[in-house]
Amino acid sequence: MDHPEDECRVPGKQDDEENVARLEEFKKSMEAKMTLRQSNLNPERPDTGFLRTLDSSIKRNTAVIKKLKQINEEQKEGMMEELRHVNLSKFVSEAVTAICDAKLRTSDIQAAVQICSLLHQRYKEFSPSLVQGLLKIFSSGKSGDELDVDKSSKAMKKRSTLKLLLELYFVGVIEEAGVFVTIIKDLTSSDHLKDRDATSTNLSLLASFARQARVFLGLSLSGQEFQEEMHSELILF
């Protein structure tokens, strides 16, 4: 004889098992981030002697920099392997520009974090230059050319850049929290109030920042919020 009540118990059991599995994955991802953070906070950068043994040719470095404009999770390992075998000492600014121009999807953020961490651990001037480049994306200044850019694309670019900056802060590539104060000032600038779409976009970005940076802001999480944040982290990691 069938017992309908038994069938009702199965979904609940499956949900519990899925939550346990997610929690384990979340713990592993956090452990990996903490390990990466320690490496970024205490980088053992190679000396000039070692860098001279790597490929410094313009042709090879230009090819690698070009790939940085197309960072994605699928090609991350190959890209990092190439970066380990070239000397970008004279091309750091070009590498930064390429990363700032990259059109990152949400699923590509962690790949970008790994690549930025590698460059941070190798070139001292990389991180300060990267921060300045990424901050320009939030600048309130507008030129005639920028006005023609699709507003939706600009909003998506700001959102992915904000997420990247937060992740870089969490893993120690960025150490100064003042970066986010600068962004908040840019997003709340009175210059944006004249544009309803810009105001709406910036309010959405501020809300997204508050949600993503709750730990950074010292805000506590409810049980449901923790589950949602955990699920979000698993998608991104």
Side-chain angles (χ1 to χ4, degrees):
M1 182 176 180
D2 294 335
H3 297 281
E5 64 274 12
D6 291 339
E7 296 179 2
C8 294
R9 293 193 190 104
V10 175
K13 183 178 180 181
Q14 289 179 338
D15 289 342
D16 289 341
E17 291 176 348
E18 289 178 1
N19 286 335
V20 170
R22 282 182 180 176
L23 181 58
E24 287 302 315
E25 287 185 59
F26 180 73
K27 288 180 179 179
K28 289 180 181 178
S29 72
M30 289 299 101
E31 289 173 359
K33 285 187 178 183
M34 291 306 297
T35 299
L36 182 59
R37 178 177 175 80
Q38 290 304 312
S39 297
N40 285 329
L41 291 177
N42 303 285
E44 297 182 2
R45 296 189 173 99
D47 57 28
T48 54
F50 173 78
L51 292 176
R52 288 196 188 100
T53 67
L54 305 178
D55 194 334
S56 301
S57 66
I58 295 177
K59 182 178 180 180
R60 180 74 183 280
N61 278 278
T62 299
V64 173
I65 290 171
K66 186 177 181 180
K67 292 181 180 180
L68 289 175
K69 292 183 179 181
Q70 301 173 332
I71 295 175
N72 58 66
E73 184 62 33
E74 293 77 12
Q75 299 179 30
K76 178 190 69 177
E77 294 301 330
M79 199 174 296
M80 291 182 69
E81 187 64 20
E82 286 196 67
L83 288 170
R84 293 188 183 99
H85 289 85
V86 295
N87 178 5
L88 284 171
S89 297
K90 296 181 179 180
F91 304 93
V92 171
S93 61
E94 287 83 355
V96 166
T97 298
I99 293 173
C100 291
D101 289 343
K103 296 181 180 179
L104 299 175
R105 300 167 299 176
T106 299
S107 58
D108 299 327
I109 295 294
Q110 291 304 326
V113 170
Q114 294 287 329
I115 288 171
C116 288
S117 293
L118 188 156
L119 293 171
H120 164 74
Q121 292 173 27
R122 180 160 287 189
Y123 309 103
K124 184 178 181 179
E125 65 273 29
F126 172 76
S127 293
S129 182
L130 178 66
V131 169
Q132 292 304 311
L134 293 176
L135 284 178
K136 290 179 181 178
I137 294 171
F138 298 92
S139 176
S140 59
K142 294 182 179 180
S143 67
D145 292 336
E146 287 178 323
L147 292 174
D148 295 329
V149 176
D150 181 69
K151 291 182 179 180
S152 178
S153 296
K154 290 182 68 176
M156 290 177 63
K157 179 64 175 177
K158 287 183 178 181
R159 192 177 300 279
S160 64
T161 300
L162 181 58
K163 179 62 180 176
L164 176 60
L165 283 166
L166 281 167
E167 290 293 328
L168 291 175
Y169 178 80
F170 290 146
V171 300
V173 171
I174 298 173
E175 296 186 55
E176 294 296 328
V179 168
F180 301 104
V181 175
T182 300
I183 291 174
I184 291 172
K185 286 182 177 179
D186 282 337
L187 294 177
T188 56
S189 170
S190 59
D191 293 341
H192 296 301
L193 298 178
K194 301 173 184 178
D195 187 329
R196 179 178 295 181
D197 290 337
T199 300
S200 177
T201 295
N202 290 344
L203 287 174
S204 175
L205 285 169
L206 288 169
S208 178
F209 170 75
R211 180 180 63 79
Q212 295 173 11
R214 279 175 288 190
V215 176
F216 167 65
L217 293 171
L219 302 177
S220 59
L221 301 178
S222 67
Q224 180 62 32
E225 288 174 331
F226 176 77
Q227 289 288 340
E228 292 174 355
E229 191 68 16
M230 180 179 72
H231 182 62
S232 173
E233 286 289 342
L234 290 177
I235 292 175
L236 289 171
F237 196 79

